[in-house]
Amino acid sequence: MATYVLIHGAAADAWYWGPLAAELRGRGHEVIAPDLPCRDESAGLGAYADAVVGAIGGRTELVVVAHSFGGFTGPLVCARVPVDLLVMLQAQIPAPGETPGAWWDTTGYGGARQEADRQRGVPEGAEEDPVTLYLHDTPAELAAELMTHHQQPQAAAPFGDPWPLGAWPQVPTEVLLSAGDRFFPVEFMRRLAVERLGIEPDEMPGDHLPMLGHPEELAERLEAYRAQL
């Protein structure tokens, strides 16, 4: 039995991990999905890692799954506790000393996103509905619940914190991309994984939150990674 540690992204809470957590528990695993201090204006990246490490306690056989902005926190956790596997799920990949606020420019996100939008026919400068942008491959009732009840205010504090590690932690790492994500276009994310980690990522169906739209397949992907250890 493994312990899966699920780290959510910005402006959210751990609710969106629910379908995946149920799939993993059904396979006999323990699941920890802590809420991060998104509302706390004094909480930097260290506090986000503290929240996860505190929730882990003395558990072992850890598989850390970091999603979206959770990509800044997941490696910090791996540098502090023994982790068997880190899975970067459609996650931001930081560089040493880079702040989350600077990540968008240093990675070339803006140009990549503009090109991806152009290719799918989005008029330049148009603002998309959040459901269309983030949740187009999520069941409508789950998308509505997320948008209505589980979006959180996001404090600015962590976005000014330089990522404190000098190098990627010594942990087996996989990068899994959601092929239909319109917010983090897959080609941009693939380039980033290769450039920053030297990892050729895998792809699965889904939008920005594949744990809601494709929890069974995501669980199977995670289990396959774990079986390769």
Side-chain angles (χ1 to χ4, degrees):
M1 182 184 78
T3 297
Y4 279 90
V5 182
L6 310 180
I7 302 177
H8 68 76
D13 59 23
W15 172 87
Y16 70 58
W17 290 115
L20 175 64
E23 289 286 343
L24 293 171
R25 290 184 179 117
R27 289 164 165 80
H29 302 298
E30 185 173 7
V31 177
I32 300 169
D35 287 332
L36 302 181
C38 294
R39 294 173 176 264
D40 188 345
E41 293 292 347
S42 67
L45 292 175
Y48 283 52
D50 288 345
V52 179
V53 171
I56 290 171
R59 294 173 177 85
T60 58
E61 298 186 52
L62 304 176
V63 178
V64 172
V65 183
H67 173 248
S68 195
F69 182 51
F72 274 84
T73 300
L76 301 184
V77 173
C78 295
R80 291 176 53 180
V81 298
V83 171
D84 293 341
L85 174 66
L86 170 62
V87 180
M88 300 288 281
L89 174 63
Q90 204 62 9
Q92 293 175 267
I93 299 172
E98 181 179 61
T99 68
W103 181 90
W104 310 90
D105 287 336
T106 57
T107 59
Y109 170 80
R113 170 69 187 282
Q114 186 177 41
E115 175 59 20
D117 287 352
R118 185 193 65 78
Q119 290 182 10
R120 61 187 182 89
V122 179
E124 186 173 353
E127 286 193 25
E128 286 192 74
D129 176 86
V131 172
T132 302
L133 180 60
Y134 298 104
L135 298 162
H136 61 92
D137 195 21
T138 294
E141 65 276 12
L142 293 179
E145 186 170 357
L146 176 67
M147 296 302 299
T148 303
H149 300 294
H150 294 281
Q151 283 197 304
Q152 303 289 324
Q154 175 59 58
F159 293 93
D161 269 2
W163 195 63
L165 299 185
W168 201 255
Q170 294 296 309
V171 59
T173 301
E174 300 284 355
V175 178
L176 180 57
L177 303 182
S178 189
D181 190 349
R182 295 170 177 172
F183 180 58
F184 284 162
V186 67
E187 290 304 321
F188 162 74
M189 297 295 282
R190 177 175 294 279
R191 172 179 61 79
L192 197 63
V194 172
E195 289 179 354
R196 294 199 163 184
L197 297 179
I199 294 175
E200 186 65 38
D202 297 314
E203 292 183 27
M204 64 170 286
D207 50 31
H208 191 60
L209 287 97
M211 67 290 291
L212 289 176
H214 299 272
E216 183 175 359
E217 178 169 346
L218 178 52
E220 291 172 355
R221 296 277 190 144
L222 297 175
E223 286 286 81
Y225 288 144
R226 194 174 66 85
Q228 295 172 6
L229 293 174

